[in-house]
Amino acid sequence: MTFVQLIECRTSRLDEMNRLIDTWVERTGGKRTATHALVGRDRSDGAHIVEMVEFPSYEDAMRNSNLPETDEVFRGMVALCDEMPAFTDLVIVRDERLAESAVRRLFGTLSGAGEPGPLNDLIDEDCHSHDPINPQTTIGLDAIRREFRMWRDAFDSAFTVEDVLAQDDRACARWSWSATHKGEFLGIAPTGRRVTMTGMTLVRFGDNGKIAELWWQHDQLGLLQQLGALDELES
């Protein structure tokens, strides 16, 4: 179970503390077990510093604490603080990764047929969507809905999200797609064929937490081949 160590201290020497942490990261490369670290300054009290360090488990945190470099950095931290740092050990009982959740909701909404489900709470009104199938960027929620509807009118389909990686205001999803061709698509009459496709989508979130930009990459050539659109060229 994920384990987080919360470290609170008071210091006016944050720049020196950041350099100390950089030194620890460099010297413990390949040995440390921490997977994520955040350092924050209290907005209402600039001397109040909080560091959050995430580990896969409590046991991993203990192995990290036993590294000689960790002990050395701790002694350096104490020297930079106005008082002894306070430690709180947290066992995570709920971990909701909001960016990943939003991306999975998007692909869940796009699966199926007919009119897409509500997207207003997920996609910004001024969202930009970049898709190699279109020569121009699709701008605005209404236009993006029409684009989604075009795919859903042509295919009964389902997305499977294989991986989601998120950092800062961006998330990237690797997905697979399976569908039945039931309607006209790019001038190709319905074939009834079962088709599959893989792709990746990069998402940028705006300040309001909604999706502000989308970049799609998918195997369009492979899809056209499965639909028989390239048969004459290949013969």
Side-chain angles (χ1 to χ4, degrees):
M1 186 174 292
T2 303
F3 176 81
V4 171
Q5 194 164 63
L6 196 68
I7 309 167
E8 296 183 78
C9 69
R10 298 189 61 80
T11 182
S12 58
R13 302 163 70 180
L14 181 57
D15 289 342
E16 293 177 71
M17 186 171 291
N18 277 327
R19 287 195 292 271
L20 186 66
I21 294 172
D22 289 341
T23 299
W24 174 76
V25 169
E26 180 180 347
R27 294 183 58 189
T28 57
K31 295 186 290 182
R32 66 178 179 277
T33 57
T35 58
H36 191 196
L38 291 172
V39 177
R41 171 187 277 160
D42 190 335
R43 187 172 180 178
S44 61
D45 181 358
H48 180 203
I49 306 301
V50 179
E51 181 179 4
M52 292 161 282
V53 187
E54 181 179 331
F55 301 90
S57 67
Y58 173 77
E59 291 73 21
D60 287 310
M62 293 304 97
R63 282 195 291 273
N64 195 83
S65 295
N66 290 331
L67 293 174
E69 295 87 352
T70 300
D71 182 64
E72 183 179 337
V73 166
F74 174 71
R75 286 187 275 109
M77 179 184 291
V78 171
L80 294 174
C81 292
D82 302 335
E83 56 192 38
M84 182 64 70
F87 289 78
T88 303
D89 293 340
L90 302 174
V91 175
I92 303 304
V93 296
R94 178 171 175 172
D95 182 359
E96 187 172 354
R97 300 179 186 270
L98 300 181
E100 178 177 344
S101 175
V103 169
R104 291 186 181 277
R105 277 185 57 207
L106 171 66
F107 284 98
T109 301
L110 297 183
S111 295
E115 186 69 21
L119 296 168
N120 304 65
D121 64 335
L122 190 60
I123 298 178
D124 189 80
E125 288 287 346
D126 193 38
C127 181
H128 287 46
S129 180
H130 313 273
D131 190 331
I133 207 170
N134 295 324
Q136 295 182 329
T137 299
T138 303
I139 300 176
L141 178 56
D142 289 342
I144 290 171
R145 284 181 64 88
R146 287 194 295 270
E147 187 173 89
F148 290 162
R149 190 183 304 117
M150 180 271 291
W151 282 91
R152 289 167 67 100
D153 287 345
F155 299 96
D156 283 334
S157 63
F159 281 94
T160 299
V161 179
E162 310 289 355
D163 292 297
V164 180
L165 300 176
Q167 182 174 358
D168 300 327
D169 64 345
R170 283 169 165 75
C172 186
R174 181 177 68 87
W175 49 262
S176 57
W177 176 84
S178 59
T180 300
H181 183 209
K182 62 162 188 175
E184 183 177 311
F185 176 71
L186 300 179
I188 305 170
T191 64
R193 295 185 182 184
R194 287 291 296 171
V195 294
T196 59
M197 186 168 58
T198 58
M200 300 182 73
T201 303
L202 179 65
V203 176
R204 180 178 66 83
F205 293 91
D207 293 338
N208 59 4
K210 296 183 181 181
I211 296 172
E213 201 159 7
L214 292 154
W215 290 267
W216 300 86
Q217 292 294 331
H218 46 75
D219 183 14
Q220 182 182 346
L221 184 62
L223 175 60
L224 294 176
Q225 186 175 37
Q226 293 174 74
L227 294 174
L230 306 182
D231 290 351
E232 291 186 8
L233 295 176
E234 294 175 346
S235 60

